[in-house]
Amino acid sequence: MREPRALRRRATETAAPFPPLLAEAERLAATVLLGEHGRRRSGLGDEFWQYRPAIEGDEARLVDWRRSAKADVHFIKQKEWQAAQSVMFWIDDARSMDFTSDANLPRKITRARTLALAAAILLVRAGERVGLTNSDHPPRSGEAQLLRLAEEFTAQGSAQDFGAPETRGMRPHSTAVFMSDFMGPVAAVETAIAKAADRDVRGVLIQVLDPQEEAFPFDGRTVFESVGRSIVHETQQAGDLRDRYLERLAERRAVLRDLCRATGWQFQTHHTGDTGQSALLWLHQALQRGRR
């Protein structure tokens, strides 16, 4: 339990420099469900709130058959506690995320996990529910859920060189946050976001990169290896590859940005050489924009 608690402490420290941000999150817990979103405050009980049309992914047991008999579509009887916002996270744990170019910089996966858990802390304090898109457990609120996320984040990572977003635990009408270097096949990201759209899910992509991956400061004879060493490339003139590499990186970023623009998602690149606080502030604001 020591490592999850240490990660939880680092995430709390990341959130700590933002007293105005925390104050806003606490205020949102009391007002946002009555304001912008037309929802009641979460956690009030099991009283009826509203009907909504059923969509793919809803369980049959949630259908209100009496109300549905009056129309040509199935309706879900939504209760007050079900109106709370759920934010689902996917953090890439593939081998490429284990990279850092400098011992003084965090690994990409460490920064991504800390940012996700810090965001979860703010959301839980605002009365929201948090969960993982690659888990069968439903999103929940509370301190116990934060510790559960920390335990999940510190579990053994994937043996694959590059990760693909998982969506099996994604709940309809929730918000998703995907954090990765997105260096793997982009088709996997497109598929995941298409599945999210089918469930009326919008969200955020955060591309986490090491500064060296952005600058490509190599020249002369260089051996490039993937973190898992399944890919090896040796060149005598690494400098000749710089322009081609930077062009392909820019193309990948443009594809991701266009994909987000077309689906109502938001995109940002974060470098591990920058502060975690700046990324946390951007993510918090992005989540707020995504709910309007």
Side-chain angles (χ1 to χ4, degrees), residues 218-253:
F218 307 106
D219 203 359
R221 180 182 180 276
T222 307
V223 178
F224 297 99
E225 291 183 342
S226 62
V227 176
R229 297 187 175 180
S230 64
I231 302 174
V232 179
H233 177 74
E234 181 176 352
T235 179
Q236 299 298 322
Q237 300 293 335
D240 293 344
L241 301 177
R242 182 177 295 111
D243 290 345
R244 194 187 318 170
Y245 167 83
L246 293 177
E247 181 180 350
R248 294 190 64 178
L249 181 63
E251 289 174 353
R252 170 59 59 92
R253 190 171 294 153

Side-chain angles (χ1 to χ4, degrees), residues 50-268:
Q50 66 179 0
Y51 289 108
R52 65 167 176 80
I55 65 171
E56 182 181 356
D58 286 330
E59 299 179 27
R61 64 181 180 82
L62 300 178
V63 174
D64 187 288
W65 298 106
R66 180 177 297 180
R67 174 66 178 84
S68 300
K70 302 177 182 179
D72 295 328
V73 297
H74 292 156
F75 283 91
I76 299 296
K77 187 175 183 180
Q78 201 169 30
K79 299 179 181 180
E80 290 180 10
W81 70 269
Q82 294 170 323
Q85 179 71 40
S86 294
V87 179
M88 313 289 292
F89 293 89
W90 172 73
I91 309 303
D92 188 354
D93 62 356
R95 300 296 295 275
S96 68
M97 290 291 288
D98 210 32
F99 175 71
T100 180
S101 63
D102 191 308
N104 295 318
L105 294 177
R107 295 176 300 149
K108 291 185 290 184
I109 192 169
T110 300
R111 175 57 60 83
R113 286 169 169 171
T114 303
L115 284 175
L117 198 53
I121 290 169
L122 298 177
L123 290 163
V124 164
R125 289 180 179 175
E128 314 283 25
R129 296 179 294 171
V130 295
L132 302 176
T133 68
N134 59 337
S135 173
D136 295 325
H137 298 293
R140 294 186 175 92
S141 190
E143 292 293 316
Q145 179 70 348
L146 295 174
L147 185 57
R148 189 176 295 113
L149 293 186
E151 292 173 338
E152 293 280 353
F153 288 159
T154 53
Q156 185 175 357
S158 169
Q160 301 295 320
D161 271 329
F162 303 105
E166 296 188 48
T167 60
R168 74 174 189 271
M170 189 180 294
R171 296 303 196 265
H173 315 298
S174 63
T175 299
V177 177
F178 292 167
M179 293 191 194
S180 172
D181 55 15
F182 298 110
M183 292 292 194
V186 73
V189 184
E190 294 172 338
T191 299
I193 292 184
K195 290 181 179 179
D198 289 341
R199 303 177 194 180
D200 191 27
V201 174
R202 291 189 179 183
V204 177
L205 293 186
I206 297 184
Q207 183 184 41
V208 182
L209 295 178
D210 184 274
Q212 190 179 85
E213 293 174 318
E214 191 77 59
F216 199 85
F218 307 106
D219 203 359
R221 180 182 180 276
T222 307
V223 178
F224 297 99
E225 291 183 342
S226 62
V227 176
R229 297 187 175 180
S230 64
I231 302 174
V232 179
H233 177 74
E234 181 176 352
T235 179
Q236 299 298 322
Q237 300 293 335
D240 293 344
L241 301 177
R242 182 177 295 111
D243 290 345
R244 194 187 318 170
Y245 167 83
L246 293 177
E247 181 180 350
R248 294 190 64 178
L249 181 63
E251 289 174 353
R252 170 59 59 92
R253 190 171 294 153
V255 169
L256 295 171
R257 186 176 291 111
D258 290 345
L259 177 62
C260 288
R261 186 180 299 114
T263 55
W265 283 49
Q266 299 176 73
F267 176 80
Q268 178 72 300

